[in-house]
Amino acid sequence: MYPFEQYHSKALCQALVDQIHLMADRPLRFMEVCGGHTMAVRKYGIPSLLPDSIMLLSGPGCPVCVTSSLFIDQAIHLAAYDRMTICTFGDLLRVQGTNGSLEKAKTEGKDIRVVLSGLDALEIARQQPEKKIVLLGIGFETTAPTTAATILTARKEKISNFFVLSAHKLMPPAMEAIISEGIPINGYICPGHVTTITGIAMYKKIVENFGIGCVVSGFEPLDLLQTILMLVRQVKANQPKVEIQYSRAVKPEGNPKAMAIIEEVFETVDEWWRGLGILKASGLKPRDSFQDFDASEVFSLPVYEISEPEACICGDILKGLKKPQDCMLYGKNCTPDNPVGACMVSSEGSCQTHYNYAGIN
Amino acid sequence: MCLSIPAKIISIEGENALVSISGMRMNASLSLLSNAKPGDFVLIHSGFSIEIIDREEAEKTLEIVRHIRPIK
Protein backbone atom coordinates (compact mmCIF):
# COMPACT_ATOMS: atom_id res chain seq x y z
CA MET A 1 0.00 0.00 0.00
CA TYR A 2 1.26 3.49 -0.83
CA PRO A 3 2.14 4.86 2.59
CA PHE A 4 1.77 8.55 1.91
CA GLU A 5 -2.02 8.94 1.84
CA GLN A 6 -1.79 11.73 4.42
CA TYR A 7 -0.71 14.01 1.59
CA HIS A 8 -4.43 14.01 0.75
CA SER A 9 -5.55 14.75 4.34
CA LYS A 10 -8.37 17.26 4.34
CA ALA A 11 -7.43 18.59 7.78
CA LEU A 12 -3.79 19.17 6.84
CA CYS A 13 -4.70 20.72 3.51
CA GLN A 14 -7.20 23.00 5.26
CA ALA A 15 -4.51 24.18 7.69
CA LEU A 16 -2.37 25.17 4.71
CA VAL A 17 -5.27 26.87 2.94
CA ASP A 18 -6.02 28.88 6.09
CA GLN A 19 -2.40 30.01 6.35
CA ILE A 20 -2.30 31.01 2.69
CA HIS A 21 -5.46 33.10 3.11
CA LEU A 22 -3.99 34.71 6.22
CA MET A 23 -0.70 35.61 4.59
CA ALA A 24 -1.71 36.55 1.04
CA ASP A 25 -2.10 40.30 1.29
CA ARG A 26 -1.18 41.29 -2.29
CA PRO A 27 -1.78 40.08 -5.84
CA LEU A 28 0.59 37.20 -6.62
CA ARG A 29 1.22 35.15 -9.74
CA PHE A 30 2.94 31.79 -9.44
CA MET A 31 3.83 29.69 -12.46
CA GLU A 32 4.19 25.92 -12.62
CA VAL A 33 6.43 24.59 -15.36
CA CYS A 34 5.55 20.90 -15.19
CA GLY A 35 2.69 19.21 -17.00
CA GLY A 36 2.21 16.95 -13.98
CA HIS A 37 1.61 20.03 -11.85
CA THR A 38 -0.76 21.51 -14.45
CA MET A 39 -2.82 18.36 -14.19
CA ALA A 40 -2.62 18.05 -10.38
CA VAL A 41 -3.53 21.71 -9.83
CA ARG A 42 -6.73 21.25 -11.87
CA LYS A 43 -7.52 17.73 -10.68
CA TYR A 44 -7.41 18.74 -7.01
CA GLY A 45 -9.18 22.07 -7.62
CA ILE A 46 -6.31 24.02 -6.05
CA PRO A 47 -7.28 27.41 -7.60
CA SER A 48 -10.71 27.17 -5.93
CA LEU A 49 -9.00 26.89 -2.52
CA LEU A 50 -6.87 29.99 -2.94
CA PRO A 51 -7.69 33.63 -2.29
CA ASP A 52 -8.60 35.63 -5.41
CA SER A 53 -5.33 37.50 -5.08
CA ILE A 54 -3.28 34.40 -6.00
CA MET A 55 -3.22 33.39 -9.62
CA LEU A 56 -1.67 30.13 -10.82
CA LEU A 57 -0.26 30.13 -14.34
CA SER A 58 0.79 27.18 -16.45
CA GLY A 59 4.13 27.51 -18.18
CA PRO A 60 5.92 25.56 -20.92
CA GLY A 61 6.18 22.35 -18.90
CA CYS A 62 4.41 19.88 -21.15
CA PRO A 63 6.93 18.35 -23.58
CA VAL A 64 4.28 17.38 -26.12
CA CYS A 65 2.92 20.94 -26.08
CA VAL A 66 6.25 22.61 -26.86
CA THR A 67 7.37 20.12 -29.54
CA SER A 68 7.40 21.52 -33.08
CA SER A 69 5.47 20.38 -36.12
CA LEU A 70 8.90 19.84 -37.72
CA PHE A 71 9.60 16.97 -35.31
CA ILE A 72 6.27 15.32 -36.16
CA ASP A 73 6.89 15.84 -39.89
CA GLN A 74 10.34 14.25 -39.60
CA ALA A 75 8.94 11.30 -37.64
CA ILE A 76 6.27 10.75 -40.30
CA HIS A 77 8.96 11.02 -42.99
CA LEU A 78 11.00 8.32 -41.21
CA ALA A 79 7.93 6.09 -40.91
CA ALA A 80 7.85 5.84 -44.72
CA TYR A 81 11.27 4.14 -44.82
CA ASP A 82 11.31 0.45 -45.71
CA ARG A 83 11.11 -1.93 -42.71
CA MET A 84 10.83 1.00 -40.31
CA THR A 85 9.07 0.98 -36.94
CA ILE A 86 8.50 4.24 -35.08
CA CYS A 87 8.09 3.92 -31.30
CA THR A 88 6.48 6.81 -29.49
CA PHE A 89 5.00 7.73 -26.14
CA GLY A 90 1.22 7.80 -26.53
CA ASP A 91 0.80 11.53 -25.91
CA LEU A 92 2.60 12.42 -29.13
CA LEU A 93 0.41 10.33 -31.39
CA ARG A 94 -2.25 12.93 -32.11
CA VAL A 95 -0.09 16.07 -32.34
CA GLN A 96 -0.57 17.64 -35.76
CA GLY A 97 2.34 17.98 -38.14
CA THR A 98 2.02 19.96 -41.34
CA ASN A 99 0.12 17.18 -43.08
CA GLY A 100 -1.44 15.18 -40.30
CA SER A 101 -0.40 13.30 -37.20
CA LEU A 102 1.46 10.09 -36.39
CA GLU A 103 -1.97 8.60 -35.66
CA LYS A 104 -3.05 9.40 -39.23
CA ALA A 105 0.18 7.88 -40.58
CA LYS A 106 -0.57 4.76 -38.53
CA THR A 107 -4.04 4.44 -40.02
CA GLU A 108 -2.40 4.72 -43.44
CA GLY A 109 -0.41 1.58 -42.69
CA LYS A 110 2.84 2.91 -41.24
CA ASP A 111 4.30 0.83 -38.40
CA ILE A 112 3.93 3.24 -35.48
CA ARG A 113 3.78 1.76 -32.00
CA VAL A 114 3.08 3.24 -28.59
CA VAL A 115 5.63 2.30 -25.92
CA LEU A 116 5.77 3.08 -22.22
CA SER A 117 9.56 3.04 -22.05
CA GLY A 118 12.55 3.31 -24.34
CA LEU A 119 13.37 -0.19 -23.14
CA ASP A 120 10.20 -1.45 -24.85
CA ALA A 121 11.48 -0.01 -28.13
CA LEU A 122 14.86 -1.66 -27.55
CA GLU A 123 13.13 -5.00 -26.95
CA ILE A 124 11.38 -4.68 -30.33
CA ALA A 125 14.81 -4.01 -31.90
CA ARG A 126 16.20 -7.15 -30.22
CA GLN A 127 13.32 -9.32 -31.42
CA GLN A 128 13.15 -7.92 -34.95
CA PRO A 129 16.74 -7.41 -36.11
CA GLU A 130 15.57 -7.14 -39.72
CA LYS A 131 13.67 -3.93 -38.87
CA LYS A 132 14.87 -0.43 -38.06
CA ILE A 133 13.44 0.88 -34.80
CA VAL A 134 13.33 4.63 -34.11
CA LEU A 135 12.36 5.84 -30.64
CA LEU A 136 10.94 9.37 -30.57
CA GLY A 137 12.79 10.88 -27.63
CA ILE A 138 10.77 13.66 -26.08
CA GLY A 139 10.64 14.93 -22.52
CA PHE A 140 12.68 17.00 -20.13
CA GLU A 141 15.49 16.10 -17.74
CA THR A 142 13.31 13.37 -16.15
CA THR A 143 13.01 11.39 -19.37
CA ALA A 144 16.37 12.21 -20.99
CA PRO A 145 18.41 9.85 -18.75
CA THR A 146 16.03 6.97 -19.56
CA THR A 147 16.66 7.53 -23.29
CA ALA A 148 20.40 7.88 -22.64
CA ALA A 149 20.48 4.67 -20.58
CA THR A 150 18.58 2.88 -23.35
CA ILE A 151 21.19 4.03 -25.90
CA LEU A 152 23.98 2.82 -23.59
CA THR A 153 22.29 -0.59 -23.32
CA ALA A 154 21.94 -0.75 -27.11
CA ARG A 155 25.66 -0.02 -27.47
CA LYS A 156 26.61 -2.58 -24.80
CA GLU A 157 24.54 -5.27 -26.53
CA LYS A 158 25.74 -4.18 -30.00
CA ILE A 159 22.17 -3.63 -31.19
CA SER A 160 22.60 -1.85 -34.51
CA ASN A 161 18.95 -1.41 -35.56
CA PHE A 162 17.91 0.94 -32.73
CA PHE A 163 17.91 4.72 -33.16
CA VAL A 164 16.62 7.79 -31.34
CA LEU A 165 15.15 10.92 -32.89
CA SER A 166 15.70 13.34 -30.04
CA ALA A 167 13.63 16.36 -29.15
CA HIS A 168 14.61 16.20 -25.49
CA LYS A 169 14.61 19.61 -23.87
CA LEU A 170 16.05 21.32 -20.80
CA MET A 171 13.86 23.28 -18.40
CA PRO A 172 16.01 26.21 -17.16
CA PRO A 173 16.41 28.02 -20.53
CA ALA A 174 12.61 28.10 -20.89
CA MET A 175 12.14 29.33 -17.32
CA GLU A 176 14.64 32.12 -17.94
CA ALA A 177 13.02 32.98 -21.30
CA ILE A 178 9.62 33.44 -19.63
CA ILE A 179 11.07 36.02 -17.24
CA SER A 180 13.21 37.67 -19.93
CA GLU A 181 10.08 38.19 -22.03
CA GLY A 182 8.72 40.30 -19.19
CA ILE A 183 5.92 37.96 -18.19
CA PRO A 184 5.15 39.01 -14.63
CA ILE A 185 5.47 36.22 -12.09
CA ASN A 186 6.30 36.24 -8.39
CA GLY A 187 7.56 32.69 -8.05
CA TYR A 188 8.12 29.39 -9.78
CA ILE A 189 6.52 26.13 -8.68
CA CYS A 190 9.46 24.05 -9.88
CA PRO A 191 9.09 20.63 -11.50
CA GLY A 192 9.49 17.86 -8.92
CA HIS A 193 10.67 15.01 -11.07
CA VAL A 194 12.94 17.10 -13.30
CA THR A 195 14.66 18.26 -10.11
CA THR A 196 14.84 14.69 -8.79
CA ILE A 197 17.33 14.21 -11.61
CA THR A 198 19.04 17.62 -11.85
CA GLY A 199 19.16 18.85 -8.27
CA ILE A 200 18.53 22.48 -7.39
CA ALA A 201 21.73 24.25 -8.47
CA MET A 202 20.19 25.22 -11.82
CA TYR A 203 17.57 27.42 -10.12
CA LYS A 204 20.11 29.61 -8.29
CA LYS A 205 20.63 31.68 -11.45
CA ILE A 206 16.91 32.44 -11.63
CA VAL A 207 16.88 33.63 -8.02
CA GLU A 208 20.10 35.62 -8.33
CA ASN A 209 19.51 37.18 -11.76
CA PHE A 210 15.77 37.78 -11.60
CA GLY A 211 14.86 37.79 -7.90
CA ILE A 212 12.20 35.12 -8.46
CA GLY A 213 11.76 32.43 -5.80
CA CYS A 214 11.83 28.77 -6.79
CA VAL A 215 10.17 26.03 -4.74
CA VAL A 216 10.44 22.43 -5.93
CA SER A 217 7.07 20.82 -5.42
CA GLY A 218 5.55 17.38 -5.16
CA PHE A 219 2.32 16.45 -6.88
CA GLU A 220 -0.20 15.73 -4.11
CA PRO A 221 -2.63 18.41 -2.92
CA LEU A 222 -0.72 18.93 0.33
CA ASP A 223 2.51 19.32 -1.66
CA LEU A 224 1.08 22.00 -3.92
CA LEU A 225 -0.54 23.96 -1.10
CA GLN A 226 2.61 23.85 1.02
CA THR A 227 4.65 25.02 -1.99
CA ILE A 228 2.29 27.95 -2.55
CA LEU A 229 2.55 28.86 1.14
CA MET A 230 6.36 28.73 0.93
CA LEU A 231 6.31 31.05 -2.09
CA VAL A 232 3.91 33.46 -0.38
CA ARG A 233 6.22 33.57 2.64
CA GLN A 234 9.24 34.25 0.42
CA VAL A 235 7.49 37.17 -1.27
CA LYS A 236 6.29 38.62 2.05
CA ALA A 237 9.77 38.40 3.53
CA ASN A 238 11.24 39.72 0.28
CA GLN A 239 13.64 36.79 0.35
CA PRO A 240 13.48 34.88 -2.93
CA LYS A 241 15.37 31.59 -2.66
CA VAL A 242 15.48 28.01 -3.81
CA GLU A 243 13.62 25.65 -1.50
CA ILE A 244 12.63 22.00 -1.74
CA GLN A 245 9.11 21.13 -0.59
CA TYR A 246 9.30 17.68 -2.24
CA SER A 247 12.18 16.53 -0.03
CA ARG A 248 11.06 12.89 0.01
CA ALA A 249 12.04 12.62 -3.67
CA VAL A 250 14.42 15.50 -4.35
CA LYS A 251 17.93 15.81 -2.97
CA PRO A 252 19.79 19.12 -3.40
CA GLU A 253 22.37 17.35 -5.56
CA GLY A 254 19.74 15.46 -7.61
CA ASN A 255 20.59 12.05 -9.03
CA PRO A 256 24.29 12.28 -10.01
CA LYS A 257 24.27 8.88 -11.72
CA ALA A 258 21.41 9.90 -14.03
CA MET A 259 23.05 13.27 -14.74
CA ALA A 260 26.34 11.54 -15.62
CA ILE A 261 24.50 9.29 -18.09
CA ILE A 262 22.83 12.31 -19.75
CA GLU A 263 26.24 14.01 -19.97
CA GLU A 264 27.88 10.90 -21.42
CA VAL A 265 25.34 10.41 -24.22
CA PHE A 266 23.95 13.87 -25.04
CA GLU A 267 25.23 17.32 -25.90
CA THR A 268 23.20 20.52 -25.84
CA VAL A 269 21.83 22.10 -29.00
CA ASP A 270 19.66 25.13 -29.73
CA GLU A 271 16.04 24.03 -29.78
CA TRP A 272 12.67 25.48 -30.84
CA TRP A 273 9.88 25.76 -28.26
CA ARG A 274 6.26 26.55 -29.06
CA GLY A 275 5.63 30.09 -27.82
CA LEU A 276 9.27 30.83 -27.05
CA GLY A 277 11.02 30.19 -30.38
CA ILE A 278 14.61 28.98 -30.53
CA LEU A 279 16.34 28.92 -27.15
CA LYS A 280 20.08 28.56 -26.92
CA ALA A 281 21.40 25.24 -25.57
CA SER A 282 17.91 24.11 -24.57
CA GLY A 283 17.82 20.77 -26.39
CA LEU A 284 19.68 17.47 -26.24
CA LYS A 285 21.13 15.52 -29.17
CA PRO A 286 23.32 12.38 -29.05
CA ARG A 287 27.03 13.24 -29.08
CA ASP A 288 29.14 12.43 -32.14
CA SER A 289 30.42 9.33 -30.34
CA PHE A 290 26.81 8.07 -30.31
CA GLN A 291 25.84 9.19 -33.81
CA ASP A 292 25.24 5.56 -34.89
CA PHE A 293 22.14 5.76 -32.68
CA ASP A 294 21.07 9.25 -33.76
CA ALA A 295 18.25 8.98 -36.32
CA SER A 296 18.92 12.57 -37.45
CA GLU A 297 22.47 11.53 -38.47
CA VAL A 298 21.78 8.03 -39.81
CA PHE A 299 18.76 8.88 -41.97
CA SER A 300 18.31 11.69 -44.42
CA LEU A 301 15.76 14.07 -42.91
CA PRO A 302 14.25 17.08 -44.67
CA VAL A 303 14.10 20.29 -42.65
CA TYR A 304 10.44 21.26 -42.77
CA GLU A 305 9.13 24.71 -42.05
CA ILE A 306 7.48 24.92 -38.66
CA SER A 307 3.74 25.48 -39.03
CA GLU A 308 1.13 26.32 -36.41
CA PRO A 309 -2.60 25.57 -36.65
CA GLU A 310 -4.55 28.65 -37.72
CA ALA A 311 -6.14 30.64 -34.86
CA CYS A 312 -4.53 28.40 -32.22
CA ILE A 313 -3.03 30.41 -29.33
CA CYS A 314 -1.10 27.54 -27.71
CA GLY A 315 2.09 29.63 -27.82
CA ASP A 316 0.63 32.40 -25.65
CA ILE A 317 -1.04 29.89 -23.33
CA LEU A 318 2.32 28.16 -22.77
CA LYS A 319 3.78 31.49 -21.64
CA GLY A 320 0.95 32.20 -19.23
CA LEU A 321 -0.13 35.21 -21.32
CA LYS A 322 -3.51 33.74 -22.22
CA LYS A 323 -5.84 31.18 -20.73
CA PRO A 324 -7.37 28.25 -22.63
CA GLN A 325 -10.81 29.86 -22.53
CA ASP A 326 -9.37 32.96 -24.26
CA CYS A 327 -8.96 30.89 -27.44
CA MET A 328 -11.78 31.08 -29.97
CA LEU A 329 -11.27 27.39 -30.80
CA TYR A 330 -11.43 26.15 -27.20
CA GLY A 331 -14.34 23.80 -26.52
CA LYS A 332 -15.74 24.39 -30.00
CA ASN A 333 -13.42 23.34 -32.82
CA CYS A 334 -10.79 22.15 -30.35
CA THR A 335 -11.69 19.47 -27.79
CA PRO A 336 -9.84 16.44 -26.34
CA ASP A 337 -11.68 14.22 -28.86
CA ASN A 338 -10.79 16.47 -31.76
CA PRO A 339 -7.77 18.55 -30.75
CA VAL A 340 -6.37 21.31 -32.92
CA GLY A 341 -3.48 22.56 -30.79
CA ALA A 342 -0.90 20.54 -28.89
CA CYS A 343 -2.13 21.91 -25.53
CA MET A 344 -5.43 20.09 -26.15
CA VAL A 345 -3.72 16.91 -27.38
CA SER A 346 -1.70 16.13 -24.30
CA SER A 347 -3.42 14.88 -21.15
CA GLU A 348 -1.25 17.35 -19.25
CA GLY A 349 -1.64 20.26 -21.66
CA SER A 350 -3.22 23.42 -20.23
CA CYS A 351 -6.21 23.22 -22.56
CA GLN A 352 -7.01 19.56 -22.02
CA THR A 353 -6.63 19.72 -18.22
CA HIS A 354 -8.78 22.85 -18.12
CA TYR A 355 -11.38 21.16 -20.33
CA ASN A 356 -11.38 17.95 -18.28
CA TYR A 357 -11.55 19.52 -14.83
CA ALA A 358 -13.06 22.98 -15.26
CA GLY A 359 -15.29 22.54 -18.33
CA ILE A 360 -15.64 24.79 -21.31
CA ASN A 361 -16.07 28.12 -19.53
CA MET B 1 5.18 13.36 -19.30
CA CYS B 2 7.45 13.53 -16.24
CA LEU B 3 4.84 11.50 -14.40
CA SER B 4 6.59 9.19 -11.96
CA ILE B 5 4.79 6.63 -9.87
CA PRO B 6 5.81 5.33 -6.44
CA ALA B 7 6.43 1.59 -6.40
CA LYS B 8 7.76 -0.86 -3.84
CA ILE B 9 10.73 -3.03 -4.78
CA ILE B 10 9.88 -6.72 -4.32
CA SER B 11 13.12 -8.24 -5.56
CA ILE B 12 16.23 -7.31 -7.50
CA GLU B 13 18.11 -9.25 -10.14
CA GLY B 14 21.15 -7.49 -11.58
CA GLU B 15 20.02 -4.05 -12.75
CA ASN B 16 16.36 -5.01 -12.87
CA ALA B 17 13.79 -4.85 -10.11
CA LEU B 18 10.42 -6.47 -9.76
CA VAL B 19 8.25 -3.70 -8.31
CA SER B 20 4.70 -3.45 -7.03
CA ILE B 21 2.48 -0.46 -7.82
CA SER B 22 -0.58 -0.77 -5.59
CA GLY B 23 -0.42 -4.54 -6.08
CA MET B 24 0.29 -4.47 -9.81
CA ARG B 25 3.69 -5.98 -10.56
CA MET B 26 6.08 -4.87 -13.26
CA ASN B 27 9.77 -4.74 -14.06
CA ALA B 28 11.79 -1.56 -13.71
CA SER B 29 15.40 -0.83 -14.53
CA LEU B 30 17.68 0.19 -11.66
CA SER B 31 20.43 1.45 -13.96
CA LEU B 32 19.91 5.07 -12.88
CA LEU B 33 20.22 4.26 -9.14
CA SER B 34 23.05 2.99 -6.99
CA ASN B 35 21.70 1.85 -3.64
CA ALA B 36 18.13 0.58 -4.05
CA LYS B 37 17.17 -2.52 -2.09
CA PRO B 38 14.07 -4.70 -1.69
CA GLY B 39 11.46 -2.96 0.47
CA ASP B 40 12.44 0.52 -0.76
CA PHE B 41 9.83 2.72 -2.36
CA VAL B 42 11.14 4.14 -5.63
CA LEU B 43 9.77 6.54 -8.22
CA ILE B 44 9.24 4.83 -11.56
CA HIS B 45 9.43 6.90 -14.72
CA SER B 46 9.29 5.40 -18.20
CA GLY B 47 10.38 1.96 -17.01
CA PHE B 48 13.26 3.25 -14.87
CA SER B 49 13.59 3.82 -11.13
CA ILE B 50 14.75 7.42 -10.87
CA GLU B 51 14.95 7.89 -7.09
CA ILE B 52 14.41 6.18 -3.76
CA ILE B 53 11.62 7.83 -1.80
CA ASP B 54 12.96 8.95 1.57
CA ARG B 55 10.28 7.92 4.07
CA GLU B 56 11.87 9.90 6.87
CA GLU B 57 11.68 13.07 4.76
CA ALA B 58 8.08 12.20 3.81
CA GLU B 59 7.21 12.11 7.50
CA LYS B 60 9.14 15.35 8.21
CA THR B 61 7.12 17.22 5.57
CA LEU B 62 3.88 16.07 7.17
CA GLU B 63 5.20 16.99 10.62
CA ILE B 64 5.88 20.57 9.47
CA VAL B 65 2.29 20.89 8.24
CA ARG B 66 0.89 19.29 11.41
CA HIS B 67 2.60 22.01 13.42
CA ILE B 68 0.99 24.87 11.55
CA ARG B 69 -1.02 26.66 14.18
CA PRO B 70 -4.75 26.62 13.47
CA ILE B 71 -6.35 29.97 12.73
CA LYS B 72 -8.74 31.07 15.45
Side-chain angles (χ1 to χ4, degrees), chain A residues 7 117 143 247-248 255 348, chain B residues 1 45-46 50 54 57-58:
Chain A
Y7 284 82
S117 164
T143 318
S247 58
R248 63 190 183 277
N255 178 337
E348 55 184 37
Chain B
M1 189 67 217
H45 173 74
S46 185
I50 60 166
D54 187 328
E57 282 294 332

Side-chain angles (χ1 to χ4, degrees), chain A residues 100-174:
Chain A
S101 61
L102 286 160
E103 186 178 52
K104 179 166 169 271
K106 187 175 166 67
T107 61
E108 290 166 357
K110 304 293 188 293
D111 187 2
I112 294 167
R113 305 186 197 182
V114 171
V115 292
L116 297 175
S117 164
L119 294 173
D120 297 342
L122 193 61
E123 183 58 24
I124 297 171
R126 271 191 206 103
Q127 289 180 4
Q128 301 187 323
E130 74 286 0
K131 296 204 75 168
K132 297 180 275 287
I133 312 299
V134 172
L135 170 69
L136 303 183
I138 66 160
F140 299 122
E141 290 92 333
T142 322
T143 318
T146 72
T147 302
T150 305
I151 290 176
L152 288 176
T153 305
R155 168 164 283 182
K156 195 172 155 194
E157 295 183 21
K158 297 187 169 56
I159 297 173
S160 58
N161 63 327
F162 173 79
F163 313 93
V164 170
L165 184 65
S166 175
H168 283 299
K169 290 182 175 59
L170 302 172
M171 208 68 253

